[in-house]
Amino acid sequence: MPAFFQDGFGLLVEDLTGFKKSRFCASLSPPQEQHGTNTTIDMAKLTKRDIVVAISNQTGMVQHQVFDVVQRTLDKITDSLANNIPVELRNFGVFQPRLTKPRVGRNPNQPGSSFVIPPRATVKFKAGKIMRQRVEKLSRELKEAAERGTKTETTAPNGE
């Protein structure tokens, strides 16, 4: 059963895995029965606020101080990228500013008309070794679970 508690920002729900979700992301309905690994992707997402609350709980620091540190970190990363300086975070990844090539665009509502989309600055992200390995592990688990799910669907009676 999920645990409900109040923090400085509002109502939070702690799900069965121990992750805290804000009231906007949490489902208040009872968890559905699952067989094997969950193959669906949960639409809840990790937010800056979730990061601040988790770090605050782990370190005992005040949430406002943690928020200030997290925000300054993100601001420094953004400033560096805006000044064409790549950001490398070991084992996490590399953010690198780059310029896209100009390309031809077409409006599907007006066949035959085309226009040039000018080049623009974007950020390319290349995952670090540890992140890449952990995500690949998730990918394998989801693939295996999907294969198990299709096998049970094909062998299960259709109820007629």
Side-chain angles (χ1 to χ4, degrees):
M1 189 71 167
F4 298 92
F5 58 95
Q6 185 79 21
D7 71 345
F9 292 102
L11 179 69
L12 293 177
V13 177
E14 184 173 353
D15 67 5
L16 299 176
T17 60
F19 290 100
K20 295 174 182 73
K21 297 179 183 178
S22 68
R23 62 179 164 207
F24 303 109
C25 297
S27 172
L28 298 178
S29 61
Q32 296 177 355
E33 184 179 6
Q34 297 179 0
H35 300 284
T37 306
N38 186 7
T39 58
T40 60
I41 297 174
D42 188 8
M43 294 307 291
K45 56 187 164 258
L46 181 68
T47 64
K48 187 181 351 176
R49 185 181 152 305
D50 295 334
I51 293 170
V52 168
V53 170
I55 292 172
S56 175
N57 290 341
Q58 291 172 357
T59 63
M61 291 176 59
V62 178
Q63 288 184 7
H64 292 291
Q65 293 173 332
V66 175
F67 177 82
D68 189 43
V69 170
V70 169
Q71 187 60 52
R72 286 177 188 240
T73 302
L74 297 174
D75 289 344
K76 184 63 179 170
I77 291 170
T78 302
D79 291 343
S80 296
L81 293 170
N83 291 319
N84 201 21
I85 300 170
V87 177
E88 180 178 343
L89 304 171
R90 296 276 179 194
N91 298 323
F92 181 76
V94 178
F95 297 92
Q96 193 164 21
R98 68 181 187 114
L99 196 63
T100 61
K101 296 178 183 176
R103 56 192 174 97
V104 176
R106 292 181 178 78
N107 184 346
N109 295 328
Q110 297 174 352
S113 68
S114 62
F115 55 96
V116 175
I117 300 173
R120 64 181 181 149
T122 60
V123 176
K124 178 183 174 184
F125 177 75
K126 182 178 178 187
K129 182 179 179 181
I130 292 177
M131 179 190 287
R132 190 173 51 249
Q133 289 172 345
R134 291 180 68 183
V135 172
E136 286 173 358
K137 180 181 175 187
L138 172 67
S139 177
R140 287 191 301 270
E141 290 172 358
L142 291 175
K143 183 179 175 183
E144 290 169 1
E147 289 172 356
R148 284 193 303 267
T150 56
K151 287 179 184 177
T152 57
E153 286 177 7
T154 56
T155 60
N158 59 6
E160 290 183 25

